[in-house]
Short mmCIF file of all heavy atoms in Angstrom, two decimals:
data_model
loop_
_atom_site.label_atom_id
_atom_site.label_comp_id
_atom_site.label_asym_id
_atom_site.label_seq_id
_atom_site.Cartn_x
_atom_site.Cartn_y
_atom_site.Cartn_z
N ALA A 1 111.69 230.09 -83.94
CA ALA A 1 112.86 230.44 -84.76
C ALA A 1 112.47 230.66 -86.16
O ALA A 1 111.53 230.03 -86.59
CB ALA A 1 113.72 229.11 -84.73
N ALA A 2 113.26 231.44 -86.83
CA ALA A 2 113.06 231.71 -88.25
C ALA A 2 114.47 231.68 -88.89
O ALA A 2 115.20 232.66 -88.66
CB ALA A 2 112.35 232.95 -88.55
N SER A 3 114.74 230.73 -89.54
CA SER A 3 116.11 230.46 -90.23
C SER A 3 115.87 230.63 -91.78
O SER A 3 115.38 229.76 -92.36
CB SER A 3 116.71 229.05 -89.83
OG SER A 3 116.85 228.95 -88.51
N ILE A 4 116.34 231.77 -92.24
CA ILE A 4 115.98 232.08 -93.62
C ILE A 4 117.19 232.30 -94.42
O ILE A 4 118.12 233.10 -94.17
CB ILE A 4 115.17 233.45 -93.59
CG1 ILE A 4 113.91 233.27 -92.64
CG2 ILE A 4 114.75 233.80 -95.02
CD1 ILE A 4 112.97 232.30 -93.19
N GLY A 5 117.29 231.59 -95.68
CA GLY A 5 118.46 231.88 -96.47
C GLY A 5 118.14 233.09 -97.41
O GLY A 5 117.01 233.41 -97.60
N LYS A 6 119.08 233.64 -97.86
CA LYS A 6 119.19 234.70 -98.90
C LYS A 6 118.71 236.06 -98.26
O LYS A 6 119.42 237.17 -98.37
CB LYS A 6 118.32 234.38 -100.09
CG LYS A 6 118.48 235.35 -101.22
CD LYS A 6 117.58 234.97 -102.43
CE LYS A 6 117.99 233.71 -103.16
NZ LYS A 6 117.16 233.46 -104.31
N ALA A 7 117.46 236.18 -97.82
CA ALA A 7 116.81 237.43 -97.42
C ALA A 7 117.44 238.19 -96.32
O ALA A 7 117.56 239.40 -96.39
CB ALA A 7 115.30 237.23 -97.04
N ILE A 8 117.97 237.56 -95.36
CA ILE A 8 118.47 238.17 -94.12
C ILE A 8 120.02 238.00 -94.08
O ILE A 8 120.62 238.03 -92.92
CB ILE A 8 117.78 237.77 -92.79
CG1 ILE A 8 117.91 236.34 -92.53
CG2 ILE A 8 116.36 238.22 -92.86
CD1 ILE A 8 117.37 235.87 -91.17
N LEU A 9 120.63 237.89 -95.13
CA LEU A 9 122.19 237.80 -95.15
C LEU A 9 122.79 239.22 -94.86
O LEU A 9 123.85 239.32 -94.46
CB LEU A 9 122.59 237.32 -96.59
CG LEU A 9 122.28 235.88 -96.96
CD1 LEU A 9 122.62 235.63 -98.32
CD2 LEU A 9 122.87 234.95 -95.98
N PHE A 10 121.94 240.24 -95.17
CA PHE A 10 122.43 241.70 -95.16
C PHE A 10 121.89 242.44 -93.92
O PHE A 10 120.80 242.36 -93.78
CB PHE A 10 122.13 242.24 -96.45
CG PHE A 10 122.47 241.44 -97.67
CD1 PHE A 10 121.49 240.71 -98.37
CD2 PHE A 10 123.65 241.23 -98.03
CE1 PHE A 10 121.81 239.91 -99.43
CE2 PHE A 10 123.99 240.51 -99.11
CZ PHE A 10 123.07 239.72 -99.84
N PRO A 11 122.82 243.23 -93.32
CA PRO A 11 122.37 243.95 -92.12
C PRO A 11 121.20 244.99 -92.46
O PRO A 11 120.36 245.13 -91.66
CB PRO A 11 123.70 244.65 -91.78
CG PRO A 11 124.59 244.55 -92.87
CD PRO A 11 124.28 243.34 -93.59
N GLN A 12 121.23 245.53 -93.73
CA GLN A 12 120.24 246.54 -94.16
C GLN A 12 118.95 245.87 -94.12
O GLN A 12 117.88 246.44 -93.77
CB GLN A 12 120.52 247.07 -95.49
CG GLN A 12 121.96 247.82 -95.57
CD GLN A 12 123.02 246.83 -96.01
OE1 GLN A 12 122.99 245.73 -95.70
NE2 GLN A 12 123.86 247.49 -96.88
N ALA A 13 118.83 244.66 -94.60
CA ALA A 13 117.41 243.90 -94.66
C ALA A 13 117.02 243.67 -93.25
O ALA A 13 115.70 243.72 -93.04
CB ALA A 13 117.63 242.55 -95.52
N VAL A 14 117.86 243.32 -92.35
CA VAL A 14 117.35 243.12 -90.91
C VAL A 14 117.01 244.43 -90.19
O VAL A 14 115.98 244.41 -89.61
CB VAL A 14 118.46 242.37 -90.16
CG1 VAL A 14 118.00 242.03 -88.67
CG2 VAL A 14 118.86 241.05 -90.93
N GLU A 15 117.82 245.40 -90.49
CA GLU A 15 117.55 246.77 -89.92
C GLU A 15 116.24 247.29 -90.45
O GLU A 15 115.46 247.98 -89.65
CB GLU A 15 118.67 247.71 -90.24
CG GLU A 15 119.92 247.43 -89.45
CD GLU A 15 121.07 248.22 -90.05
OE1 GLU A 15 120.92 249.02 -91.05
OE2 GLU A 15 122.18 248.00 -89.53
N ALA A 16 115.84 246.89 -91.56
CA ALA A 16 114.54 247.43 -92.11
C ALA A 16 113.27 246.81 -91.41
O ALA A 16 112.19 247.37 -91.43
CB ALA A 16 114.40 247.02 -93.72
N LEU A 17 113.56 245.80 -90.68
CA LEU A 17 112.49 245.09 -89.81
C LEU A 17 112.25 245.70 -88.51
O LEU A 17 111.48 245.21 -87.69
CB LEU A 17 112.78 243.55 -89.69
CG LEU A 17 112.92 242.76 -91.06
CD1 LEU A 17 113.49 241.48 -90.64
CD2 LEU A 17 111.53 242.70 -91.64
N GLY A 18 113.20 246.66 -88.23
CA GLY A 18 113.16 247.27 -86.84
C GLY A 18 113.54 246.21 -85.69
O GLY A 18 114.39 245.51 -85.95
N ARG A 19 112.88 246.32 -84.64
CA ARG A 19 113.23 245.58 -83.51
C ARG A 19 112.80 244.04 -83.73
O ARG A 19 113.21 243.16 -83.01
CB ARG A 19 112.66 246.01 -82.25
CG ARG A 19 113.05 247.51 -81.85
CD ARG A 19 112.55 247.87 -80.42
NE ARG A 19 113.09 247.03 -79.32
CZ ARG A 19 114.38 247.29 -78.81
NH1 ARG A 19 115.16 248.31 -79.28
NH2 ARG A 19 114.79 246.47 -77.94
N THR A 20 111.97 243.72 -84.80
CA THR A 20 111.47 242.41 -85.00
C THR A 20 112.51 241.50 -85.63
O THR A 20 112.26 240.40 -85.88
CB THR A 20 110.12 242.40 -85.80
OG1 THR A 20 110.43 242.94 -87.11
CG2 THR A 20 109.08 243.24 -85.11
N GLY A 21 113.63 242.12 -86.05
CA GLY A 21 114.70 241.23 -86.64
C GLY A 21 115.57 240.57 -85.62
O GLY A 21 116.37 239.69 -86.00
N HIS A 22 115.41 240.95 -84.32
CA HIS A 22 116.10 240.30 -83.23
C HIS A 22 116.03 238.79 -83.19
O HIS A 22 114.97 238.28 -83.11
CB HIS A 22 115.79 240.92 -81.84
CG HIS A 22 116.64 240.41 -80.78
ND1 HIS A 22 117.98 240.64 -80.64
CD2 HIS A 22 116.33 239.83 -79.59
CE1 HIS A 22 118.56 240.08 -79.53
NE2 HIS A 22 117.45 239.52 -78.93
N ASN A 23 117.19 238.20 -83.19
CA ASN A 23 117.24 236.61 -83.20
C ASN A 23 116.88 235.87 -84.41
O ASN A 23 116.67 234.66 -84.36
CB ASN A 23 116.56 236.04 -81.93
CG ASN A 23 117.46 236.26 -80.73
OD1 ASN A 23 118.77 236.53 -80.80
ND2 ASN A 23 116.97 236.00 -79.54
N LEU A 24 116.62 236.61 -85.52
CA LEU A 24 116.36 235.95 -86.86
C LEU A 24 117.75 235.21 -87.12
O LEU A 24 118.85 235.70 -86.79
CB LEU A 24 116.02 236.81 -87.92
CG LEU A 24 114.64 237.48 -87.83
CD1 LEU A 24 114.52 238.60 -88.96
CD2 LEU A 24 113.62 236.40 -88.03
N SER A 25 117.71 234.11 -87.74
CA SER A 25 118.82 233.28 -87.97
C SER A 25 119.10 232.95 -89.45
O SER A 25 118.07 232.91 -90.23
CB SER A 25 118.88 231.92 -87.16
OG SER A 25 117.66 231.28 -87.31
N SER A 26 120.30 232.71 -89.81
CA SER A 26 120.64 232.41 -91.16
C SER A 26 121.97 231.71 -91.33
O SER A 26 122.69 231.49 -90.32
CB SER A 26 120.80 233.76 -91.97
OG SER A 26 121.04 233.63 -93.29
N GLU A 27 122.22 231.17 -92.58
CA GLU A 27 123.57 230.58 -92.68
C GLU A 27 124.54 231.71 -92.80
O GLU A 27 124.30 232.78 -93.26
CB GLU A 27 123.45 229.85 -94.07
CG GLU A 27 123.48 230.60 -95.37
CD GLU A 27 122.06 231.14 -95.83
OE1 GLU A 27 121.23 231.21 -94.96
OE2 GLU A 27 122.05 231.53 -96.96
N VAL A 28 125.65 231.33 -92.41
CA VAL A 28 126.85 232.29 -92.55
C VAL A 28 128.03 231.65 -93.39
O VAL A 28 128.57 230.74 -92.96
CB VAL A 28 127.39 232.61 -91.11
CG1 VAL A 28 128.60 233.71 -91.21
CG2 VAL A 28 126.23 233.28 -90.20
N TRP A 29 128.22 232.19 -94.52
CA TRP A 29 129.21 231.56 -95.44
C TRP A 29 130.68 232.27 -95.12
O TRP A 29 131.73 231.62 -95.32
CB TRP A 29 128.89 231.82 -96.91
CG TRP A 29 127.58 232.30 -97.22
CD1 TRP A 29 126.34 231.93 -96.99
CD2 TRP A 29 127.39 233.45 -98.18
NE1 TRP A 29 125.43 232.69 -97.46
CE2 TRP A 29 126.00 233.53 -98.36
CE3 TRP A 29 128.17 234.23 -98.85
CZ2 TRP A 29 125.47 234.51 -99.18
CZ3 TRP A 29 127.61 235.17 -99.82
CH2 TRP A 29 126.28 235.38 -99.87
N TRP A 30 130.68 233.50 -94.62
CA TRP A 30 131.91 234.31 -94.54
C TRP A 30 131.57 235.27 -93.48
O TRP A 30 130.56 235.93 -93.38
CB TRP A 30 132.37 234.81 -95.74
CG TRP A 30 133.66 235.45 -95.72
CD1 TRP A 30 134.88 235.04 -95.74
CD2 TRP A 30 133.84 236.91 -95.43
NE1 TRP A 30 135.89 235.87 -95.54
CE2 TRP A 30 135.25 237.23 -95.49
CE3 TRP A 30 133.01 238.04 -95.32
CZ2 TRP A 30 135.88 238.41 -95.29
CZ3 TRP A 30 133.57 239.26 -95.19
CH2 TRP A 30 135.01 239.48 -95.15
N SER A 31 132.65 235.60 -92.55
CA SER A 31 132.50 236.67 -91.68
C SER A 31 133.85 237.13 -91.27
O SER A 31 134.89 236.50 -91.59
CB SER A 31 131.74 236.12 -90.39
OG SER A 31 132.76 235.39 -89.59
N PRO A 32 133.98 238.28 -90.59
CA PRO A 32 135.39 238.78 -90.20
C PRO A 32 136.13 237.72 -89.20
O PRO A 32 137.36 237.99 -89.06
CB PRO A 32 134.99 240.10 -89.49
CG PRO A 32 133.67 240.49 -89.95
CD PRO A 32 132.90 239.16 -90.28
N THR A 33 135.40 236.81 -88.56
CA THR A 33 136.06 235.89 -87.69
C THR A 33 136.46 234.67 -88.38
O THR A 33 137.03 233.73 -87.77
CB THR A 33 135.25 235.56 -86.50
OG1 THR A 33 134.05 234.97 -86.94
CG2 THR A 33 134.76 236.88 -85.74
N HIS A 34 136.17 234.45 -89.65
CA HIS A 34 136.64 233.33 -90.33
C HIS A 34 138.09 233.38 -90.41
O HIS A 34 138.84 234.33 -90.77
CB HIS A 34 136.04 233.14 -91.83
CG HIS A 34 134.61 232.64 -91.82
ND1 HIS A 34 133.60 233.05 -91.07
CD2 HIS A 34 134.17 231.60 -92.55
CE1 HIS A 34 132.54 232.30 -91.29
NE2 HIS A 34 132.87 231.39 -92.24
N PRO A 35 138.84 232.16 -90.15
CA PRO A 35 140.25 232.15 -89.95
C PRO A 35 141.07 232.07 -91.38
O PRO A 35 141.87 231.14 -91.39
CB PRO A 35 140.55 230.91 -89.03
CG PRO A 35 139.51 230.07 -89.35
CD PRO A 35 138.19 230.92 -89.81
N PHE A 36 140.68 232.81 -92.32
CA PHE A 36 141.29 232.69 -93.59
C PHE A 36 141.90 233.95 -94.13
O PHE A 36 141.54 235.11 -93.66
CB PHE A 36 140.30 232.16 -94.68
CG PHE A 36 139.55 230.92 -94.22
CD1 PHE A 36 138.16 230.87 -94.12
CD2 PHE A 36 140.19 229.83 -93.79
CE1 PHE A 36 137.53 229.79 -93.69
CE2 PHE A 36 139.66 228.57 -93.44
CZ PHE A 36 138.12 228.69 -93.36
N THR A 37 142.88 233.89 -95.02
CA THR A 37 143.60 235.13 -95.55
C THR A 37 143.53 235.17 -97.08
O THR A 37 143.38 234.04 -97.72
CB THR A 37 145.00 235.19 -95.06
OG1 THR A 37 145.67 234.03 -95.40
CG2 THR A 37 145.02 235.41 -93.51
N SER A 38 143.69 236.27 -97.69
CA SER A 38 143.67 236.34 -99.12
C SER A 38 145.07 236.00 -99.74
O SER A 38 146.11 236.25 -99.19
CB SER A 38 143.38 237.83 -99.51
OG SER A 38 143.76 238.00 -100.84
N SER A 39 144.88 235.15 -100.88
CA SER A 39 146.12 234.84 -101.60
C SER A 39 146.68 235.99 -102.44
O SER A 39 147.85 236.01 -103.01
CB SER A 39 145.80 233.61 -102.45
OG SER A 39 144.80 233.96 -103.48
N LEU A 40 145.83 237.09 -102.51
CA LEU A 40 146.24 238.22 -103.39
C LEU A 40 147.16 239.07 -102.56
O LEU A 40 148.12 239.75 -103.17
CB LEU A 40 145.06 238.94 -103.97
CG LEU A 40 144.23 238.23 -105.03
CD1 LEU A 40 142.89 238.89 -105.31
CD2 LEU A 40 145.09 238.14 -106.28
N ASN A 41 146.81 239.41 -101.46
CA ASN A 41 147.47 240.48 -100.70
C ASN A 41 147.74 240.09 -99.11
O ASN A 41 148.27 240.88 -98.32
CB ASN A 41 146.67 241.73 -100.65
CG ASN A 41 145.25 241.67 -100.16
OD1 ASN A 41 144.88 240.76 -99.45
ND2 ASN A 41 144.41 242.54 -100.62
N GLY A 42 147.42 238.86 -98.80
CA GLY A 42 147.59 238.44 -97.51
C GLY A 42 146.71 238.99 -96.33
O GLY A 42 146.93 238.80 -95.17
N MET A 43 145.67 239.75 -96.79
CA MET A 43 144.70 240.26 -95.92
C MET A 43 143.89 239.31 -95.18
O MET A 43 143.45 238.27 -95.82
CB MET A 43 143.95 241.43 -96.66
CG MET A 43 142.96 242.17 -95.74
SD MET A 43 142.09 243.44 -96.61
CE MET A 43 143.44 244.65 -96.99
N SER A 44 143.63 239.46 -93.87
CA SER A 44 142.74 238.60 -93.17
C SER A 44 141.28 238.82 -93.40
O SER A 44 140.99 239.97 -93.98
CB SER A 44 142.98 238.61 -91.64
OG SER A 44 142.54 239.90 -91.22
N ALA A 45 140.44 237.86 -93.10
CA ALA A 45 139.04 238.14 -93.30
C ALA A 45 138.59 239.44 -92.55
O ALA A 45 137.80 240.27 -92.96
CB ALA A 45 138.16 236.97 -92.84
N GLY A 46 139.09 239.53 -91.31
CA GLY A 46 138.70 240.63 -90.55
C GLY A 46 139.27 241.93 -91.09
O GLY A 46 138.52 242.97 -91.03
N GLY A 47 140.49 241.90 -91.72
CA GLY A 47 141.08 243.10 -92.35
C GLY A 47 140.25 243.53 -93.52
O GLY A 47 140.04 244.61 -93.76
#
């Protein structure tokens, strides 16, 4: 296992590793599946 903060938060950084990025792990602060909406426009995380 390799659980790395900061460096592999971004898809471009993982894609730069080619196939060796598979199953690298990291913290997830926010994603499209987070069940929250914007107070500004009502948009969901997924939206």
Side-chain angles (χ1 to χ4, degrees):
S3 300
I4 307 296
K6 191 183 292 187
I8 56 171
L9 296 170
F10 311 103
Q12 302 92 325
V14 183
E15 289 168 3
L17 300 171
R19 300 187 66 83
T20 65
H22 182 62
N23 280 347
L24 289 173
S25 50
S26 183
E27 76 278 17
V28 181
W29 353 309
W30 183 84
S31 77
T33 62
H34 275 55
F36 308 123
T37 57
S38 168
S39 62
L40 289 171
N41 53 23
M43 186 176 290
S44 67

